[in-house]
Each structure stands twice: as structure tokens, then as C-alpha cells.
Amino acid sequence: MSISEGAKFAWRGVTANKARSALTMLGVMIGVAAVIILVAVGAGASRSVTDTLNSLGTNTLTVTPGSNSGGFGFGMGRGAGGGGGDTGSGTSIREANLTMADAEALADPDLAPDLLHVAPVVSAASVTATLAGASHTVGTTTGSTPTYLTINNDTVVDGRAFSQSDFDSHSRVLLVGPTVAKELVGDDGTAVLDQVIRLNGKEFTVIGILEAKGSSGIQDSDDRILAPATAVQDHLAGYGNLSSISVQATSADTVDAAQAQIEAILDARHRTTSDDRDFTVMNSATFLDAASTITGTFTILLGAIAGISLLVGGIGVMNIMLVTVTERTREIGIRKAIGAGRADITFQFMLEAVILSVLGGVAGILFSYLVCQIEIAGFRAVIEPYSVVLAFGFALAVGLFFGIYPATRAASLRPIDALRYE
Amino acid sequence: MTGAKRSTRPVIDLRDIHKTYGEGEAIVRAVDGVSLRVEHGDYVAIMGASGSGKSTMMNIIGCLDGQTSGSYRLDGVDVRLLEDDQLSKIRNRKIGFIFQSFNLIARTTALSNVELPLAYAGVSGRERRRRALAALETVGLANRVDHTSAQLSGGQQQRVAIARAIVGEPVLLLADEPTGALDSHSTAEVLALFDELSAVGRTLVVITHEADVAARAKRVLRMHDGRIVADDRSVPVDSLPPRLAGGRTAVAS
């Protein structure tokens, strides 16, 4: 019997009971769509994180207080302060600190020729901004020098950035992120410019609005304010240690050299060695590695969970095929009586299972493309071609695998028994 | 095979066939030592009450079931030695089945049903269609080729089944109670068709419990308790079937 003939018989089998075939396909469709969508969400999250990190620049380094031998750094520069923690089993417990003097020492062109910019970073926690009755708890409050804007690729879209003289004179001037601006004055937030707002009761003048950086999914990068470190220390954070020091290397190629220079200078100042260092230097490559490891694991985990639903869909196919074989026992008997061989019957029912799973797979792919047009949690899911191929291939394999048992069962029916079956 | 010279080889050659079910005390001898030769062109009716073993005979002759002992040569082939798949092929090439309940494939057109044996025999699409249409023409259903079985009457369905049985030019047409599910009008049609098929030289074996069906055959076998108890021939193998041969319908009893 020819293949097209077998395909015709199989197709007739699929269309004989449309509702049941559709429901069976739905199981496979959901499985395939789940794999593709979840992998796409994982990939989208990964891309979003990577984009965020890339926007920081590939040649930036961050010095945070405390040792961090694990390599996974979450205190990303202007975040809520570096992770504390002691330096372990040293003879003396060292207070982990970075000072303004440390930052100044790094700006030494002789000892640190590969460092382009250095900016001390001061963070203040739980700062509430108020303006004429409007109140907003700011996500991130950062105090630094004007070079911080350069290092961070930050631009001021409205108004002006603060200057070195603002820093030196402890001016209470302020740059706000778009989110903060909108929260305080509504609309597009531009009206906040030149307003005097209160930060925890202290008056600051808004001199500029920062460019929108978008959301990274977890954190709103635009919910922030930026002021001269001196003013932040005076009024919000208190005197003391820096949260971190942001450094920009002269180029992406000198990042490693820059890291070595920073470590040498700070080791000398802190009287530490690589064994008992009380600070950590992270570069963006380290962040990227850590982030992609995490998102990669996450994606695989999501995909595996989705794979289970695909497996369940496959079992649905097998279940329906077994029902079909039982229902069509008599037909199988007739076919065998008039000359169908085992191979003919096996082929027909296998093909029927494969048609169900492949159509389900195609529907799943189309469905996942539709779903991935929607923005989820602030980022767009990115469909990975490999996940489409994988899910489709898996659906096909599921059809073949779960079709084998019902098909061989059909083929091994004795015609005399099958004909007698009512 | 019309007017073709006939092989001297019998179509059916059964020798001392036994078929038993169960063991020991509960043993059932469904067929208990049957020997039978059916020549090319013969029209044989096998009669018997239910439980006489005629259905088992039908299954053995049709290669749907194997015998417990004895030998069976179908058109010279010893079927005992064949595997499941080879038996399928033998059934496909040598036997055309006509069942009581028609056994057409549901939701499938008459044409596709008739094409089916040819499809399994590997006949290509165009040739298959031509032969299937010719077979449907023979049974008088040329105007019903695209009807599914649900759209056909019982008599029409049985005629489609006959078309399916003859389309592959098998050496043997094997009918199991072919008129059992039909009204008298359809029965007459089907039996007339059998007469015509016999007249053109086809070999028919009809299993029935109805005397007026058996009366149309050239030779009537009666079974009882798994044995052939009577074997009456009304007309010679070579002649036309009794009804067409001149109204000699009497069967010695």
C-alpha cells in the first residue's frame, strides 16, 4: 500500500471524530506552546538583564565594601549599598569600608593609568520625596560626582546635570528619574523642573530630569534620584562610608588591568592582600556571566516544567489512540480480512497519532507566537528558534512514541477476533 | 476468467480437517474430520444449523483461522505454513469475502471500499479506480459510487461488498450468510448476482442455513456436529447454475 493511501486512511480516522481529535490536539498544543512560551520568557528576561548591564557600559567596574568570593554580585553599584559581612577568619574583624579618600586615591594617573573615571557612590535608603502634597518613596537615591553620569551613560533630557562646583559646594540640587518626576507632578513630569522638593524634609532643587532607562523587569530603573554625594551625605545618608565606587576603564580591553590597579591601590591603603581583602571589585563581564548563568538555569528549568505538560499531551494522544483502536476493531478486522498486512495497519494508526500530535504542535507554535506579542512584566518574550524546533520535534516524537503501542496492538489483532467484535 | 481454461488444480483441497477448542473434558470439536475438494467454477453451498461447524469451516476456508490438524491447500498453496502477513496476502489475492453484515468501512464511499483490496495489493491509483468502477458496474451500482455506506440500503451495501470481493479477480468468492441481513427483494438481487458470477465461471462457496439460498448452488453440503453428512450435486461443475440451467431447483434431500 502506498504512503499517500495510508495517509488518506489516517486522515479519515482523524476527521471521523473531530471533537475528540481537536481535544487531543489541544493537549499537545498546550504542551508545545508552554515549552516555547516559557523558554521565550526566559530568553526575554535574559536579554532584558543583558541589555541593562550593557547599558552600564562594558568597561565599567564597581568597587564594593566587603569580601565577596562567590563571584555573584547583586549590589550593583548604585544599588542599596554593598553587601556587608566580615572578612571571615582573619585575626581581626575588619570594618568593611570605602571612603571618599579611597575614591580620590584611585584617581591617580600614575598608579592607575587605565582608569578613565572614578566616582564615589553614596546611597541613602528609604527616602521620601514630597512636593505640594504629592509624596513618593524613591526606589534608589544616589549621591555621587558629575563623572558618575558619564560612567553610567546617564543623560539629562531636561534641565542640566550638576557640576563639580555643585559637588564642592554641597549644593542641594537634584536630578530625578522620569518615574519620580511623574509621581510628583503628574503628566509627563517635566513640570518638576526647577521645583523645590523635600527629601525626608530637606529641600532640594530639581535641576534636571534623567533620561528614561526603562524597567528591567524586577526593578524600575527610572525610579531614582541623583544628587551630589556631598549633599546626600549632609542631609540624607550621613557621613561615613561610601556604598561603592564606580570606575570606568579606558577601554573594554583594559578592564582587567584596571581591576588589578584598583586592587593594588586599595590593598595598599587598607593594608590587605588578596586573601583578606575587605572590598570587592566587580566588572560588568562578571555581572554578565553571573546574570546569564542565572537566567540560563532559569530558562532550562521553565522549559523542563513545560516539557512535562508536553509529555502529558502525548499520553493524551496514546489514550485516544487506544480508544480509537478499540472502537475500530471491526474496521481493522475487515482490513486484515481483505488483505491489509501488519505494516499497513501499523502505519495507518501511527500516522494517525503523528497527525494529531503534529497538528497540535503547529497550533502550539502559532499560539505561542501570538502570546509572545504581548509584553509580560515589562519585557517582550523572545522566541528562541531552537525551542520551536525542539518543541515541534518533541511533539512529533511524542506522536511516534505514543502511537507505537496502540498501532502495534491494532496490527496484532487476529482478523477472526476483530471481525467478531461488536 | 470468463471462459478461460481451467486449471485441474482444485481451488479448495481440505484433507481430514479437525478444529477443536478447549482441552480435556471441555473439548469442543467444531470441525471433526472434514475432507473436501472444490473445483474451479463450482458453486457450493454449505448448510447446517448453528453449532454445526459451518462458521468454523468458513473461517478455515477463508484463512481467517487455522485448523488444529489436517491439511488445507488453497489454489495449491499449503496455508498452514504461512505467517500472519502472508495469510493477509493470500486472502487479498485469492479470496473475495462477502459477509452477513456487509462489513464495509464506515464513512467511506462505495468506490473507496471497492478500491481497498487493490490498494492493499499495491495497484496504482488510476488502474484501481478503473477496475473498481468496472466492479461496481457489474453489481449495478455505477450510479452510487460516491455514496457512503450510511447512504446505501442493505441490499446496495451488500452489492458494494460483492463488488469489493470480485474486484481483485480472486479464485474463490466466500460468502457467509450473505442474505441473512437482507429483505426478500434484496435477497433475490444478491442471489441473481451470484448466479451471474457463477455463470461467468467464478468459484463460489456460500455458507447458509437457508434452503432457498442453498438451492441456487450447483452442489450442497450439509454439516452436522462438525462433519459433512450430505453432499449433493444438482448440476455438473461446468454447467450453468441450476436457476439459469433451466429451472432445476430441486435439491435432493
Side-chain angles (χ1 to χ4, degrees):
Chain A
M1 190 180 60
S2 70
I3 288 172
S4 68
E5 201 63 30
K8 217 164 79 183
F9 292 153
W11 178 249
R12 221 172 264 155
V14 170
T15 52
N17 199 329
K18 291 189 184 66
R20 202 169 65 190
S21 297
L23 286 172
T24 311
M25 286 178 211
L26 190 66
V28 178
M29 182 191 119
I30 290 171
V32 167
V35 169
I36 296 173
I37 291 169
L38 288 185
V39 169
V41 166
S46 168
R47 180 171 296 187
S48 161
V49 170
T50 311
D51 287 350
T52 308
L53 290 176
N54 277 335
S55 73
L56 297 177
T58 50
N59 53 347
T60 57
L61 298 100
T62 306
V63 186
T64 53
S67 68
N68 189 346
S69 53
F72 280 69
F74 291 101
M76 288 164 52
R78 58 192 156 81
D86 60 16
T87 49
S89 57
T91 47
S92 64
I93 294 173
R94 219 180 281 268
E95 192 65 23
N97 55 33
L98 289 171
T99 62
M100 206 59 99
D102 284 332
E104 281 156 15
L106 289 178
D108 181 332
D110 294 327
L111 287 173
D114 291 317
L115 271 54
L116 189 61
H117 296 296
V118 177
V121 176
V122 177
S123 294
S126 48
V127 170
T128 305
T130 49
L131 172 64
S135 170
H136 175 65
T137 304
V138 180
T140 309
T141 304
T142 307
S144 192
T145 58
T147 47
Y148 179 85
L149 294 164
T150 316
I151 295 171
N152 248 335
N153 287 337
D154 281 326
T155 38
V156 176
V157 287
D158 246 328
R160 64 168 180 96
F162 58 84
S163 63
Q164 189 63 37
S165 67
D166 288 325
F167 179 84
D168 293 337
S169 63
H170 296 222
S171 294
R172 286 193 270 173
V173 293
L174 186 65
L175 301 174
V176 296
T179 304
V180 178
K182 283 172 200 161
E183 289 289 333
L184 289 177
V185 297
D187 296 330
D188 59 352
T190 48
V192 81
L193 201 61
D194 298 329
Q195 297 282 337
V196 176
I197 67 170
R198 288 175 178 274
L199 299 176
N200 291 354
K202 307 288 168 39
E203 289 182 345
F204 278 76
T205 306
V206 178
I207 57 166
I209 299 172
L210 292 161
E211 187 187 31
K213 285 209 155 181
S215 165
S216 66
I218 312 146
Q219 193 186 359
D220 182 359
S221 304
D222 297 332
D223 185 10
R224 60 168 177 154
I225 55 178
L226 186 58
T230 47
V232 172
Q233 282 187 322
D234 286 351
H235 302 288
L236 298 169
Y239 290 95
N241 302 326
L242 301 178
S243 307
S244 62
I245 302 171
S246 278
V247 179
Q248 186 171 18
T250 49
S251 77
D253 300 328
T254 56
V255 166
D256 288 339
Q259 177 158 357
Q261 289 155 18
I262 293 166
E263 283 168 353
I265 293 169
L266 292 183
D267 275 342
R269 290 180 54 84
H270 292 203
R271 298 193 178 81
T272 53
T273 64
S274 59
D275 298 326
D276 61 348
R277 207 164 265 162
D278 60 355
F279 61 91
T280 308
V281 183
M282 304 275 276
N283 62 49
S284 39
T286 322
F287 283 134
L288 266 180
D289 281 352
S292 52
T293 308
I294 295 165
T295 54
T297 312
F298 200 55
T299 304
I300 289 168
L301 189 73
L302 287 174
I305 293 169
I308 293 170
S309 67
L310 190 47
L311 196 68
V312 172
I315 293 169
V317 170
M318 174 150 87
N319 192 13
I320 281 307
M321 286 314 296
L322 285 174
V323 172
T324 302
V325 167
T326 308
E327 247 181 21
R328 285 163 49 200
T329 298
R330 202 175 171 84
E331 178 190 323
I332 295 163
I334 298 165
R335 287 181 185 279
K336 289 196 90 170
I338 62 177
R342 274 166 175 273
D344 296 321
I345 301 289
T346 309
F347 180 68
Q348 179 185 340
F349 283 93
M350 285 281 281
L351 202 62
E352 213 172 302
V354 168
I355 287 173
L356 286 175
S357 58
V358 163
L359 287 183
V362 169
I365 290 169
L366 295 178
F367 180 69
S368 56
Y369 268 96
L370 283 179
V371 167
C372 288
Q373 300 306 308
I374 304 165
E375 264 191 21
I376 308 160
F379 61 87
R380 176 72 60 86
V382 181
I383 290 186
E384 294 281 358
Y386 84 85
S387 72
V388 175
V389 174
L390 189 82
F392 186 74
F394 196 47
L396 186 68
V398 152
L400 282 173
F401 180 77
F402 288 111
I404 287 172
Y405 175 61
T408 48
R409 200 159 112 160
S412 59
L413 281 171
R414 292 185 346 130
I416 181 173
D417 296 331
L419 279 172
R420 216 181 270 150
Y421 185 87
E422 288 300 334
Chain B
M1 52 202 298
T2 321
K5 82 169 185 254
R6 285 175 186 132
S7 140
T8 50
R9 195 166 68 187
V11 174
I12 296 171
D13 186 3
L14 295 170
R15 287 187 194 169
D16 196 26
I17 295 288
H18 290 262
K19 178 71 182 180
T20 57
Y21 298 101
E23 284 177 13
E25 294 285 299
I27 197 161
V28 176
R29 297 178 194 284
V31 175
D32 194 10
V34 167
S35 294
L36 172 67
R37 281 167 70 95
V38 175
E39 306 296 334
H40 273 276
D42 210 351
Y43 181 179
V44 181
I46 299 177
M47 283 195 74
S50 55
S52 61
K54 64 183 194 307
S55 291
T56 308
M57 279 291 289
M58 141 91 191
N59 289 335
I60 291 171
I61 292 171
C63 300
L64 294 169
D65 201 2
Q67 66 273 28
T68 309
S69 69
S71 82
Y72 174 27
R73 283 176 177 278
L74 173 64
D75 198 30
V77 181
D78 188 344
V79 298
R80 187 159 204 190
L81 305 172
L82 300 180
E83 300 285 327
D84 192 31
D85 265 0
Q86 291 170 305
L87 284 175
S88 279
K89 204 165 272 180
I90 282 286
R91 288 194 295 268
N92 184 249
R93 304 285 151 81
K94 298 203 182 287
I95 305 172
F97 286 97
I98 299 149
F99 300 97
Q100 178 174 3
S101 48
F102 323 135
N103 279 346
L104 299 180
I105 308 278
R107 290 178 292 265
T108 303
T109 63
L111 183 65
S112 296
N113 263 292
V114 177
E115 281 186 355
L116 203 54
L118 300 178
Y120 286 126
V123 177
S124 70
R126 183 178 294 183
E127 168 72 1
R128 196 162 69 206
R129 188 178 163 83
R130 188 187 64 74
R131 285 169 65 178
L133 286 171
L136 282 164
E137 177 90 51
T138 306
V139 300
L141 285 177
N143 56 343
R144 293 277 191 280
V145 291
D146 290 324
H147 290 52
T148 64
S149 30
Q151 297 164 323
L152 295 170
S153 71
Q156 287 169 334
Q157 287 186 56
Q158 192 61 302
R159 283 192 279 155
V160 172
I162 293 168
R164 184 177 67 184
I166 62 175
V167 74
E169 302 280 335
V171 291
L172 172 66
L173 292 177
L174 185 57
D176 181 18
E177 301 282 6
T179 59
L182 299 179
D183 59 33
S184 58
H185 177 69
S186 300
T187 298
E189 277 179 359
V190 165
L191 291 179
L193 206 46
F194 281 2
D195 282 341
E196 284 170 35
L197 292 170
S198 177
V200 297
R202 300 250 187 198
T203 310
L204 284 95
V205 172
V206 178
I207 283 114
T208 183
H209 66 276
E210 292 172 69
D212 47 345
V213 173
R216 308 288 281 259
K218 298 174 184 172
R219 179 185 177 195
V220 178
L221 303 173
R222 283 171 198 282
M223 286 194 71
H224 186 70
D225 287 346
R227 293 166 192 273
I228 294 174
V229 293
D231 184 352
D232 305 301
R233 178 171 291 287
S234 51
V235 295
V237 174
D238 296 346
S239 78
L240 291 171
R243 173 65 68 91
L244 301 179
R248 284 209 304 161
T249 55
V251 175
S253 53

